[in-house]
Amino acid sequence: MVERMPPGRAAPMSSRLWWLIVMRGMAALLFGLVAVFWPGISLALLVVIFGAYALIDGAITLLYALRQPAGQARRGFLLLNGGSAVAIGLISVLWPDATIVLLLYLVAAWALIFGIIEIAGSLRLKREFGPDWPLSKGGILLVAFALLLLIFPGAVAVVTTWIIGVIALLVGIAVLAFAWRQHQRDRMIID
């Protein structure tokens, strides 16, 4: 028996769309496992693997977006997301060395900026709350990480690889969990 959806609820996904989401999650898991458990891999090869992952993820997202009804609000977001992933994947595959340098400098800039902001905020709070307020250890660690990345980019890049791998694993698990929940919900609605 088919149950009517209450207003404001999402319609069930078709079986094909459910598998597209599972494929995205599996691609993220595969990339994450390679990054975490193969630390000796060269950064150039890791960037090419990341590029392949981004291309697959972007293509699947574009496919998913094109299967959405034309008037749906999230279709444009999905098209933008998929197109961006394909572009980043192509850049990573075609110019891996430039991508490595850019990635390292972006991570170093992020760590330096946010570390300084966190330290400054901590110092401001110390003035407001008195001398017992602790300084930001996280901000100091971020600044130290940024400086190490700028001074010793090769050594710190391996640690960055592990961090990226763990993030990819978490994303893959989250995407697979979402696909499973949606599939279970859809089976309950359709049954």
Side-chain angles (χ1 to χ4, degrees):
M1 175 173 162
V2 176
E3 187 179 313
R4 291 186 67 84
M5 294 293 299
R9 293 281 311 254
M13 287 191 285
S14 73
S15 296
R16 287 186 216 145
L17 298 182
W18 181 75
W19 283 106
L20 287 175
I21 294 171
V22 169
M23 287 173 50
R24 284 186 73 196
M26 294 302 288
L29 279 178
L30 182 62
F31 172 71
L33 288 171
V34 168
V36 169
F37 292 109
W38 197 1
I41 191 171
S42 75
L43 277 177
L45 184 57
L46 184 67
V47 168
V48 170
I49 292 171
F50 166 75
Y53 159 70
L55 283 169
I56 292 168
D57 184 63
I60 292 169
T61 303
L62 286 172
L63 243 161
Y64 183 69
L66 293 173
R67 299 194 54 98
Q68 299 296 313
Q72 199 166 37
R74 69 179 174 168
R75 184 177 189 200
F77 173 74
L78 289 170
L79 288 170
L80 180 65
N81 185 358
S84 308
V86 167
I88 289 170
L90 285 173
I91 290 169
S92 297
V93 169
L94 297 176
W95 300 291
D97 292 334
T99 305
I100 292 170
V101 172
L102 180 63
L103 175 67
L104 291 177
Y105 285 125
L106 284 175
V107 170
W110 170 83
L112 188 61
I113 290 168
F114 284 100
I116 290 170
I117 289 170
E118 194 169 324
I119 291 169
S122 178
L123 290 173
R124 187 175 69 70
L125 289 173
K126 186 174 183 172
R127 275 183 266 148
E128 287 179 23
F129 293 104
D132 292 338
W133 186 262
L135 278 176
S136 168
K137 291 179 184 141
I140 293 168
L141 288 174
L142 282 174
V143 169
F145 175 70
L147 293 175
L148 285 172
L149 191 55
L150 292 172
I151 296 169
F152 306 107
V156 180
V158 172
V159 174
T160 305
T161 301
W162 287 333
I163 292 168
I164 291 169
V166 168
I167 290 170
L169 285 171
L170 293 174
V171 167
I173 291 168
V175 169
L176 288 173
F178 169 75
W180 177 254
R181 281 192 314 271
Q182 287 297 108
H183 182 67
Q184 292 300 331
R185 182 192 65 110
D186 295 347
R187 282 184 44 206
M188 288 174 43
I189 291 171
I190 293 172
D191 289 339

